[in-house]
Amino acid sequence: MALYRLEAKIISRGKQGHSSVAAAAYRTGTKIRDERMDKLHDYSSRTKGVVDTVILRPENSPQWSAHTASLWNKVELTEKRKDAQLAREFILSVPRELNAKEQFELAAGWAQKELVSKGMVAEVSLHNPKSGNNPHVHILCTMRTINDDQFSAKKPREWNDKALLVHQRESWANDVNAALEKAGRPERVDHRSLKDRGIDRIPEPKIGKEAMGMKERGVVEDPERFKLWRWVKSLNEVMPWKRAIERDGEVHQHGMGRTWWERSLVMVSEARETVRDTVRDTWEKFVNRHSGEQDMPPHDQEPDLER
């Protein structure tokens, strides 16, 4: 099943002191020295996860913009503020139904059309981790255009326009669907939200690399983001039952027990092991309270499901 994702964010120095050189080294799986900080960022050991990478530039761009190290060191030396915005990043899911060549050409073609044509320099990197189940693309873009041999004095404000991001999300969905059709695949993606598509489901929160790393390293056995993900997934599991009870006072499931409570227990027992305990806890709380209100997970604060 083809998945849709277009995530846009800004990489800035800010409080955490992020570096565009470090970001580029990680995404390209290379070793680069940050000239401003005199610090070596070495990610050459992860080259197996980096399938391909390319820098796309507007016409007549200087030669230093064609190489990862010189491009992003130029960015770092140009930005003087301690809280400077250094680069814009797009993270795209590419269809597993396409081969690596098709995936890379799809992302590079979209970047050329939507980003480089507007004056950005964009470095496109296709990643596919060991599992092979999560092919995705990182696109690092400059925040300034290039004038002659230097970056522009001002950053184009129109690149921050929300309407532009809305257009980019739809454009990426259209390009993915066109590539799937060209490959003879029936799958399609949709950039619209669940609400706009009329789907009665809560968006599942992103676990994120920080929580995933803590779990893999054994720092935290069950990070909070995993708990939140399981809780939202459990709510989506019981949502049809809740709607049926509110509408008819009954859950219509034939051949699974004499009463709706017996049938709900059977459904819980068949739930996937990763969400079974959370589903049972959420369902029992709902039944005991006899109300349409959603119980909150065992956290100190209500989670922000909009993130």
Side-chain angles (χ1 to χ4, degrees):
M1 177 181 178
L3 301 176
Y4 178 84
R5 180 188 182 190
L6 185 149
E7 178 183 348
K9 60 183 180 180
I10 300 294
I11 295 175
S12 60
R13 290 191 185 123
K15 294 181 180 179
Q16 296 181 341
H18 289 161
S19 161
S20 63
V21 172
Y26 178 82
R27 286 149 184 78
T28 59
T30 55
K31 179 168 59 175
I32 309 175
R33 179 169 294 280
D34 186 329
E35 297 173 4
R36 186 181 73 90
M37 299 297 294
D38 192 23
K39 182 178 180 180
L40 183 66
H41 300 283
D42 187 358
Y43 293 100
S44 55
S45 62
R46 66 180 307 272
T47 51
K48 291 183 178 179
V50 180
V51 180
D52 206 348
T53 184
V54 66
I55 293 178
L56 304 175
R57 308 175 294 152
E59 292 184 6
N60 302 318
S61 295
Q63 191 59 31
W64 56 258
S65 64
H67 306 284
T68 301
S70 55
L71 169 63
W72 299 109
N73 268 301
K74 185 75 169 180
V75 167
E76 288 292 332
L77 294 172
T78 299
E79 302 296 346
K80 306 299 183 182
R81 294 171 59 100
K82 63 180 181 181
D83 60 348
Q85 294 184 342
L86 305 169
R88 192 185 315 275
E89 180 178 29
F90 293 88
I91 305 175
L92 314 173
S93 285
V94 288
R96 288 178 289 179
E97 294 79 7
L98 303 179
N99 61 42
K101 182 174 182 293
E102 292 169 331
Q103 292 169 347
F104 190 66
E105 289 178 348
L106 167 63
W110 181 84
Q112 180 68 45
K113 178 182 65 174
E114 297 293 343
L115 307 176
V116 180
S117 66
K118 292 178 171 56
M120 304 180 198
V121 179
E123 184 157 39
V124 183
S125 300
L126 171 62
H127 290 189
N128 199 347
K130 294 179 181 179
S131 65
N133 295 324
N134 183 30
H136 59 279
V137 169
H138 294 266
I139 305 179
L140 280 183
C141 306
T142 57
M143 301 289 291
R144 301 175 187 269
T145 60
I146 294 179
N147 294 337
D148 296 327
D149 196 41
Q150 302 294 327
F151 279 117
S152 59
K154 294 184 178 181
K155 297 177 179 177
R157 298 300 181 187
E158 60 270 22
W159 292 355
N160 297 325
D161 193 342
K162 184 178 180 180
L164 177 60
L165 179 59
V166 171
H167 164 77
Q168 290 166 340
R169 287 181 55 81
E170 182 175 5
S171 171
W172 174 241
N174 291 338
D175 282 14
V176 169
N177 288 333
L180 288 168
E181 182 177 6
K182 181 179 178 181
R185 300 290 309 192
E187 297 86 354
R188 296 294 183 269
V189 300
D190 197 323
H191 68 285
R192 295 175 299 167
S193 67
L194 295 174
K195 181 179 180 180
D196 289 343
R197 284 183 276 168
I199 298 176
D200 186 15
R201 195 170 77 239
I202 303 171
E204 294 182 6
K206 179 183 175 183
I207 292 177
K209 63 181 181 180
E210 290 82 7
M212 187 69 72
M214 288 192 295
K215 186 176 180 64
E216 291 177 349
R217 296 192 304 270
V219 176
V220 179
E221 182 177 352
D222 193 14
E224 291 299 310
R225 295 300 295 182
F226 280 84
K227 295 177 183 177
L228 175 59
W229 175 80
R230 290 199 304 273
W231 175 70
V232 173
K233 192 172 183 67
S234 73
L235 288 181
N236 285 328
E237 291 282 348
V238 302
M239 193 74 75
W241 307 345
K242 177 177 179 291
R243 295 284 184 261
I245 293 174
E246 291 174 342
R247 183 181 63 251
D248 305 322
E250 172 65 285
V251 178
H252 300 290
Q253 298 170 351
H254 300 289
M256 297 179 63
R258 293 175 300 170
T259 67
W260 63 268
W261 174 244
E262 289 174 341
R263 291 196 289 272
S264 68
L265 286 179
V266 172
M267 183 65 76
V268 169
S269 69
E270 293 179 350
R272 291 175 58 183
E273 183 177 349
T274 54
V275 300
R276 183 181 302 151
D277 292 340
T278 313
V279 172
R280 181 181 294 112
D281 179 64
T282 303
W283 184 243
E284 288 178 350
K285 287 181 180 180
F286 168 74
V287 172
N288 290 337
R289 290 177 60 176
H290 295 287
S291 71
E293 297 177 357
Q294 293 178 348
D295 291 306
M296 302 312 298
H299 302 302
D300 293 336
Q301 297 182 348
E302 180 176 346
D304 182 5
L305 298 180
E306 297 299 324
R307 291 190 297 176

